[in-house]
Every structure is written in C-alpha cells, then in structure tokens.
Amino acid sequence: MNTVGLFLTSVLIWGSTWLVITFQLGTVPAEVSVAYRFGLAAALLFAWCAFRRLPLRYPARVHSTFALQGLLLFGLNYVLVYFAEEQISSGLVALIFSLLVFCNIAAARLFFGTRIRPATVAGALLGFAGVVLVLLPEIRTSHASGSVMLGAMLAGLSTISASLGNIMAAHHQRRNLPILQANAFSMLYGAVLVALYAAARGQAFTFDPSFAYISSLLYLAFFGSVVAFGAYLTLVRHIGADRAGYTAAAIPIVAIVLSTLFEGLQWHLATFAGVALSIAGTVLVLRTKSTPPPTPAPTKLSPIR
C-alpha cells in the first residue's frame, strides 16, 4: 500500500471508531465491552506474533510496565471514553480527545525534559479555545447541560490517562522493546484489569448477540486496534513520525462528519470556528520542530481508537 493509502486507512478507520463505539453502549456494561474488545484485540496480536514467530518472553519487571501501560492506555482511557459517549456525541468526544497532542507534549516535558517552544504553547491555546467554542453552544442549547459538562469532563480525563499511557509506550521504545509485543501484552493486561474492576463492581458479564454489537466489537478489535495501527506504523516507517502525526489533525474531522450524519450533531457558527481553531492548533504543534532527547518522546504517538 502506498503512502496515501496508509494515511487514509489510519485516518478513516480511527476516525470512524468513535461512532462505532456508540453501538457498544446499552445492553452490555461499558467496562465489560472494553474488556471484550481488548481481550479479542490482544488475542489477534498474539496470534500474529505466533505466526511470525516473534519472541514473547520478557522478565517480570518488563511485564509490570506492560501492565501499567495497559491500565492507562487500554483500560482507564477507554472506560472513560465509553462513559463520555453515553453523555455526549462521539464527534465531541473525538474533538476533546484531540487535545492528546498537547497533553503528550506537557507529559514529555514533565517526564523526559523535552523543551516546549512558544509556537507549541500557542498551538495548545488554539486547540483548547477551539474545544471550548464547540462545547459552548451544546451547553447553552441542550436540555441536559449537566450531561454535556459531565461528558466533556470524562473525555478530558480519558485524554490525560491516554497521555500517561503514551509515556509508558515511549518508555518501552526507549528500552528498544518491540511495539507489537508491547501492545499485545498491554492490551491483555488492560482487558484483565478492566474485567477485574467490572467484577468488583458487580457488573454482569453479559453479551449482546445483536448484529450491531458483534459487528462493532469485531470492527473495533480488528480494524481499530490491529489494521489501523499496523497501517500507521508502516506510514511512520515510510515518511517519519513527524509527517505521520498529521493523522491527529484529520481524525477528528472524520469523527465529527460521521457524528453529524448519524448522530445529528448540530453545527453553529461557534462550532465551525471551534473546529477550525482546534485543527489549526494541532497542525501548528505538529509543524513545530521540538528538541527532544535522542530517544523517542511520546509527542507523535497516535492513539488507538
């Protein structure tokens, strides 16, 4: 697949997963659906590792960092996303989650000492202002403004959790741990930890046999967690992480368009302005050349939806 195909595959799949998540909500508790999703995704990745005869033996201390990444990136992050989408549209959650780019930069500064340039600060302010502009009409016109604010808060917390998970992913890259195996183990641990949390809360491990639930589960596990990630990593290998990072600016556009078509997301003047500001802020940050340490920093990591 050429570069354009890899870019479009990553953007269209990850951009669509926000809407597909809504088909997981309802009958099965959100925590249980997350456990199902990443348990299945981990099984697929382990099967691929076995097919390619990739090494899967790591010491206990490495497994502890896999578990922490799983808890943050594939556990808490996604539980909060599912909860957020029970309150607000998937497009709004995706736009809020686009702040991950800025959270990654702040986290890289905190944990790795990466320098933050003035243009990066300006981009972060633009992105945050854009999200606020989009949310304001929703809060003012909604009959359940409390739900909008709760959904926004949950989406914001999920973004922070994902950013901390990206720090662990960067830690694994610094130690030259293979990404495929690291994510397989992390997804497995994330699924197990979420399942334990659901059991502790007394959630029933039910299953929805409907076509919508099963097809969305398979789509999220296979396409959202395996195919798109593979396409993105190949894209990074072809054109570099900086240029591949522009998927972060395009993914919210796809998510918002789909939310408009299928969820009835209402557009206002502030919505147009806010989306434009948010995308402009992301592009400005991605265009800014940072001065990270010689080992990989998590600024350009792309989230798996």
Side-chain angles (χ1 to χ4, degrees), residues 16-84:
S16 65
T17 53
W18 297 95
L19 178 65
V20 176
I21 285 173
T22 63
F23 293 97
Q24 295 276 286
L25 307 176
T27 304
V28 181
E31 305 96 311
V32 177
S33 287
V34 171
Y36 289 159
R37 172 181 174 178
F38 287 105
L40 178 57
L44 292 170
L45 286 179
F46 279 121
W48 180 247
C49 289
F51 175 75
R52 296 187 58 191
R53 298 183 179 179
L54 300 177
L56 293 171
R57 295 177 65 88
Y58 297 96
R61 56 185 173 80
V62 174
H63 278 280
S64 66
T65 61
F66 287 159
L68 184 55
Q69 180 183 342
L71 173 64
L72 294 169
L73 192 57
F74 303 118
L76 180 61
N77 166 29
Y78 279 91
V79 170
L80 290 171
V81 165
Y82 280 49
F83 285 162

Side-chain angles (χ1 to χ4, degrees), residues 35-283:
Y36 289 159
R37 172 181 174 178
F38 287 105
L40 178 57
L44 292 170
L45 286 179
F46 279 121
W48 180 247
C49 289
F51 175 75
R52 296 187 58 191
R53 298 183 179 179
L54 300 177
L56 293 171
R57 295 177 65 88
Y58 297 96
R61 56 185 173 80
V62 174
H63 278 280
S64 66
T65 61
F66 287 159
L68 184 55
Q69 180 183 342
L71 173 64
L72 294 169
L73 192 57
F74 303 118
L76 180 61
N77 166 29
Y78 279 91
V79 170
L80 290 171
V81 165
Y82 280 49
F83 285 162
E85 292 202 15
E86 290 178 339
Q87 307 296 327
I88 58 179
S89 69
S90 62
L92 292 180
V93 176
L95 186 64
I96 295 170
F97 200 85
S98 68
L99 296 175
L100 177 67
V101 174
F102 315 120
C103 289
N104 283 347
I105 291 169
R109 171 62 181 174
L110 179 63
F111 292 99
F112 297 123
T114 305
R115 179 183 173 188
I116 299 179
R117 295 182 178 273
T120 300
V121 177
L125 292 175
L126 283 176
F128 183 76
V131 170
V132 171
L133 272 178
V134 171
L135 287 175
L136 279 178
E138 295 295 319
I139 294 173
R140 290 173 179 170
T141 60
S142 174
H143 296 295
S145 58
S147 295
V148 175
M149 296 181 68
L150 175 60
M153 182 185 70
L154 291 169
L157 291 174
S158 76
T159 307
I160 295 172
S161 180
S163 182
L164 294 175
N166 278 346
I167 288 294
M168 294 309 303
H171 169 74
H172 294 148
Q173 290 181 33
R174 283 168 168 258
R175 299 185 63 183
N176 294 318
L177 293 170
I179 294 175
L180 190 63
Q181 292 97 309
N183 277 285
F185 278 111
S186 296
M187 287 182 185
L188 176 61
Y189 286 125
V192 170
L193 290 171
V194 171
L196 291 174
Y197 169 73
R201 290 193 61 201
Q203 298 283 13
F205 281 75
T206 56
F207 190 80
D208 183 355
S210 69
F211 174 79
Y213 186 84
I214 294 175
S215 59
S216 61
L217 178 63
L218 293 175
Y219 184 87
L220 291 168
F222 180 65
F223 289 98
S225 302
V226 178
V227 174
F229 189 61
Y232 179 77
L233 289 180
T234 306
L235 184 67
V236 169
R237 196 159 57 242
H238 284 186
I239 65 175
D242 285 347
R243 294 173 65 193
Y246 283 96
T247 56
I251 288 169
I253 298 175
V254 175
I256 290 173
V257 169
L258 291 176
S259 182
T260 302
L261 293 174
F262 295 100
E263 295 181 299
L265 177 65
Q266 298 297 312
W267 285 71
H268 310 271
L269 181 60
T271 309
F272 286 99
V275 170
L277 282 178
S278 182
I279 294 170
T282 302
V283 171

